[in-house]
């Protein structure tokens, strides 16, 4: 089982950006956290971070045929990107959406996600743990699918 973990714009700035919202752990720390969970679960993990919408679309397209599940925190593109939604729909790879913060308790423009429509489930407001829940959710989904 191979999962692709995609992080969108400014998530490479974790540990520096708005620590009161996103905490003081770094992006590298996040990767180590997810890597460990995937190892424990016997899942191969591939990571991708980009600040560019089109690059994220390209990476999702490249996952077609070689990735079993996608965990995605589209960051600010959550609230703007029909292109990322369409890319997820195009490849039909099971996906879960993650947000470190509780987007529903923040500014109104963060309350809507274009990406949710292509995802099995969205985890928000749980910090790093949201990624763990997303990995476990996808694994369970895959196991159910294969009967
Ligand atoms: C975020 C929430 C988004 O609204 C924001 O633009 C981000 C991060 C989160 O993880 O809480 O960059 O996706």
């Amino acid at each position: 089982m191979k999962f692709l973990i995609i992080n969108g714009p400014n998530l490479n700035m974790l540990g520096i950006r708005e620590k009161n919202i996103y905490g003081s752990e770094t992006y590298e720390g996040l990767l180590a956290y997810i890597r460990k969970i995937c190892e424990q679960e016997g899942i191969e993990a591939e990571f991708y971070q980009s600040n560019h919408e089109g690059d994220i679309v390209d990476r999702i397209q490249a996952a077609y045929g070689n990735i079993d599940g996608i965990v995605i925190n589209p960051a600010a593109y959550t609230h703007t990107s029909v292109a990322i939604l369409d890319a997820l729909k195009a490849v039909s790879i099971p996906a879960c959406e993650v947000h470190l913060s509780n987007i529903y308790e923040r500014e109104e423009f963060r309350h809507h996600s274009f990406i949710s429509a292509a995802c099995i489930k969205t985890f928000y407001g749980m910090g790093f743990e949201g990624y763990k829940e997303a990995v476990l959710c996808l694994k369970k989904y895959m196991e159910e699918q294969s009967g």
Side-chain angles (χ1 to χ4, degrees), residues 55-138:
D55 288 347
I56 295 171
V57 169
D58 285 345
R59 187 62 195 89
I60 292 168
Q61 288 185 7
Y64 183 69
N66 58 78
I67 290 288
D68 301 304
I70 294 176
V71 173
I72 183 164
N73 182 345
Y77 290 136
T78 305
H79 320 296
T80 62
S81 182
V82 177
I84 293 174
L85 167 68
D86 285 350
L88 288 170
K89 283 187 167 178
V91 296
S92 288
I93 298 170
C96 279
E97 179 184 2
V98 177
H99 300 287
L100 293 160
S101 65
N102 183 346
I103 54 175
Y104 301 103
E105 283 184 352
R106 299 181 62 192
E107 304 97 317
E108 203 163 331
F109 64 83
R110 297 187 201 272
H111 295 185
H112 179 256
S113 167
F114 280 98
I115 312 304
S116 295
C119 294
I120 298 165
K121 205 169 168 182
T122 300
F123 298 90
Y124 58 89
M126 301 170 75
F128 282 11
E129 217 182 308
Y131 288 85
K132 177 185 174 184
E133 293 304 318
V135 165
L136 296 178
C137 173
L138 273 180

Side-chain angles (χ1 to χ4, degrees), residues 22-79:
Y22 301 112
S24 53
E25 292 257 30
T26 63
Y27 177 67
E28 289 309 319
L30 174 64
L31 298 198
Y33 174 85
I34 303 169
R35 204 173 279 127
K36 194 171 159 205
I37 286 145
C38 287
E39 266 169 31
Q40 283 166 358
E41 296 298 323
I43 293 160
E44 200 183 326
E46 211 172 284
F47 297 95
Y48 184 74
Q49 192 279 327
S50 175
N51 296 323
H52 307 279
E53 184 177 18
D55 288 347
I56 295 171
V57 169
D58 285 345
R59 187 62 195 89
I60 292 168
Q61 288 185 7
Y64 183 69
N66 58 78
I67 290 288
D68 301 304
I70 294 176
V71 173
I72 183 164
N73 182 345
Y77 290 136
T78 305
H79 320 296

